[in-house]
Amino acid sequence: MNNSDLAILVIDENAIRAAIIKEGLLKAGHRNVTVVEELVGVARIIERQAPDVIVIDIENPNRDMLESLFLLSRSVKKPIAMFVDRSDADMIHAAVEAGVSAYVVDGLKQERVKPILDMAISRFNAFSRMAQELEAAKSQLENRKAVDRAKALLMKSRGMDEEKAYALLRRTAMDQNRKIVDVAQSLIMTFEMLER
């Protein structure tokens, strides 16, 4: 997708500030910019609009408002750039924990909107890749544990060494046109059922 085709949702209760952001995005070549000036019901609006990127601008954030926006950012799984006029260490920490990709304090200038948006998208993509890689690593580890447990069960029940137990798992998987981990998990389930 071309950056100019990105669907960008700007959430700002202040029409003047929203216009600054929108103008900055339009000048940067973004054509699909929607502005919402009401925070009430914003989750439904996000669901309906399905934006690629969300820009939130809050002049004077309070804890409750930030907390609800942070809960929202955890659920939408989209790049979020947030502009605030004032902040503290706790708010910044909460924003990062919630997955806000760019948290900018006192930095709302038309010419800064595009680079900050680009950085938010880039950081979001980097974190998404890391999360996917972590999930893949966890899955591989779980699969490895299942195969090792199945080998141990075969070694104990059939008096095999590790190499023969693995060869049996592999051969069974090939014969049944299944993955080794699926055969291992079936074997583990079978042993657990027999032990009851």
Side-chain angles (χ1 to χ4, degrees), residues 163-182:
E163 192 175 309
K164 286 182 180 171
Y166 184 75
L168 178 59
L169 284 173
R170 195 176 79 222
R171 189 171 53 252
T172 304
M174 287 172 46
D175 291 346
Q176 296 177 2
N177 197 23
R178 295 170 64 195
K179 294 179 181 178
I180 291 179
V181 69
D182 295 337

Side-chain angles (χ1 to χ4, degrees), residues 53-141:
V53 184
I54 300 169
V55 178
I56 300 171
D57 180 47
I58 307 170
E59 286 178 83
N60 297 306
N62 63 46
R63 291 260 177 227
D64 292 340
M65 182 187 296
L66 284 174
E67 185 60 33
S68 65
L69 289 172
F70 294 159
L71 287 172
L72 176 70
S73 72
R74 280 190 189 102
S75 65
V76 296
K77 295 189 177 13
K78 300 282 182 185
I80 296 177
M82 184 176 283
F83 293 88
V84 296
D85 280 355
R86 59 185 173 78
S87 189
D88 61 35
D90 290 340
M91 286 184 193
I92 293 169
H93 179 73
V96 171
E97 286 293 309
V100 172
S101 306
Y103 187 84
V104 183
V105 180
D106 194 26
L108 181 59
K109 292 184 177 69
Q110 196 178 84
E111 64 275 4
R112 290 188 68 203
V113 173
K114 168 78 168 124
I116 289 169
L117 184 79
D118 291 344
M119 191 258 307
I121 293 168
S122 179
R123 284 192 65 203
F124 176 82
N125 290 338
F127 281 119
S128 292
R129 275 193 306 277
M130 285 187 343
Q132 288 170 351
E133 289 169 6
L134 177 61
E135 200 52 47
K138 284 181 180 177
S139 180
Q140 285 179 330
L141 182 60

